[in-house]
Amino acid sequence: MASLSAQIPLCLALMMAACLMIGINGSIDGAQREFDYFALSLQWPGTICHKTRHCCSSNACCRGSNSPTEFTIHGLWPDYNDGTWPSCCYRSQFDVKEISTLLDALEKYWPSLYCGKSSTCFSGKGLFWAHEWEKHGTCSSPVIRDEYSYFITTLNVYFKYNVTKILNEAGYVPSNSERYPLGGIVSAIENSFRATPEVICSKEAVEEIRLCFFKDFKPRNCLASKTSCPKYVSLPAYVSMGREASESEIAWISDDEAL
């Protein structure tokens, strides 16, 4: 049997390793360094909703005529210049009451486009907004220090830089037949935003566009040197998937069934 004196260093080493893991995964001890810049990630509903196989009350793709037809918010993400990012930086459980006055705007401009509950850092499974606050919002300090400020700031930045309007005015409108030059889409945003965005595609369809900002929310170039997009891309038009829609293959389920 090992002596007590031999066991103590081993126990201390295990405890130190556990503490380091907590810091790496984000969390509670503030071990993660301060972020370098923000990325506002916007989702194109036409692309994501085309992948929908199940409908539920939380999925904005399933609202029929009330479903989103412009870019919606995925999240405001603090990032590092080396391509990594902090997450789950301090324990702050999402509280929907903190953003009660913003719910109408969030439902319209920052909805979930999927069924099921999202994983969170500190609250188990929860709302899409809970995931975004706990994983990303808690790492936005010292620029953003509380839940309400995170959501209202993100909404204000989203309204200021209306990517849907920028693209529509440049002739890039939703279509299930047209293909547009990726360079033209990037240039249209650069001309208005004065910085280079990042474009994410699913096959040939635009799925996300990210705008990047310094900590004072002045535009800056995003870091991406490669793209998942081909030279010509699409902006798929939304196809209704509400209860009134005729697509019989879209089954309605509860959010719990989607877990």
Side-chain angles (χ1 to χ4, degrees):
M1 181 176 178
S3 67
L4 179 60
S5 60
Q7 292 180 34
I8 289 175
L10 176 61
C11 291
L12 289 173
L14 290 172
M15 290 172 65
M16 290 177 66
C19 289
L20 285 171
M21 286 303 296
I22 290 174
I24 290 169
N25 289 321
S27 49
I28 306 173
D29 63 358
Q32 297 178 91
R33 70 184 189 275
E34 186 177 321
F35 71 99
D36 295 318
Y37 71 99
F38 283 113
L40 176 66
S41 185
L42 307 174
Q43 303 180 111
W44 181 246
T47 300
I48 294 174
C49 293
H50 270 287
K51 302 176 184 179
T52 298
R53 294 295 175 265
H54 297 95
C55 273
C56 58
S57 60
S58 65
N59 188 343
C61 294
C62 303
R63 294 177 183 168
S65 59
N66 291 320
S67 294
T69 56
E70 57 189 340
F71 279 98
T72 61
I73 301 167
H74 186 169
L76 182 67
W77 302 338
D79 284 343
Y80 294 132
N81 286 326
D82 62 7
T84 63
W85 56 88
S87 62
C88 310
C89 288
Y90 66 89
R91 183 174 292 279
S92 176
Q93 290 186 329
F94 175 78
D95 182 356
V96 72
K97 293 190 296 294
E98 293 292 323
I99 55 170
S100 59
T101 59
L102 303 177
L103 290 179
D104 287 346
L106 293 173
E107 287 284 0
K108 183 174 182 179
Y109 302 111
W110 197 337
S112 172
L113 301 180
Y114 301 92
C115 287
K117 297 179 180 178
S118 300
S119 61
T120 68
C121 303
F122 313 115
S123 307
K125 295 285 186 177
L127 296 173
F128 175 43
W129 306 318
H131 169 84
E132 292 301 314
W133 163 246
E134 293 187 13
K135 182 176 181 180
H136 302 291
T138 60
C139 298
S140 301
S141 181
V143 179
I144 298 171
R145 296 181 178 274
D146 61 77
E147 182 183 318
Y148 178 85
S149 296
Y150 175 71
F151 287 98
I152 191 65
T153 299
T154 305
L155 286 169
N156 286 337
V157 175
Y158 169 80
F159 294 140
K160 183 175 182 178
Y161 301 101
N162 189 329
V163 170
T164 306
K165 182 180 179 182
I166 291 170
L167 294 182
N168 286 350
E169 290 179 348
Y172 302 115
V173 297
S175 172
N176 289 324
S177 58
E178 293 291 328
R179 296 291 181 271
Y180 301 117
L182 174 63
I185 288 176
V186 171
S187 293
I189 296 172
E190 286 178 331
N191 291 339
S192 178
F193 184 61
R194 303 300 179 190
T196 303
E198 180 181 3
V199 184
I200 310 296
C201 290
S202 175
K203 296 183 179 178
E204 82 288 345
V206 173
E207 185 167 78
E208 293 200 5
I209 289 180
R210 295 172 186 166
L211 305 179
C212 297
F213 301 88
F214 294 105
K215 293 179 185 179
D216 60 1
F217 289 103
K218 292 180 180 177
R220 57 161 279 174
N221 293 337
C222 292
L223 296 179
S225 57
K226 297 181 179 180
T227 179
S228 57
C229 302
K231 290 184 178 179
Y232 286 84
V233 297
S234 64
L235 284 169
Y238 169 75
V239 177
S240 177
M241 293 177 214
R243 288 186 183 274
E244 71 274 16
S246 60
E247 294 95 335
S248 58
E249 69 272 15
I250 303 295
W252 277 79
I253 60 175
S254 69
D255 285 306
D256 290 335
E257 287 180 279
L259 293 179

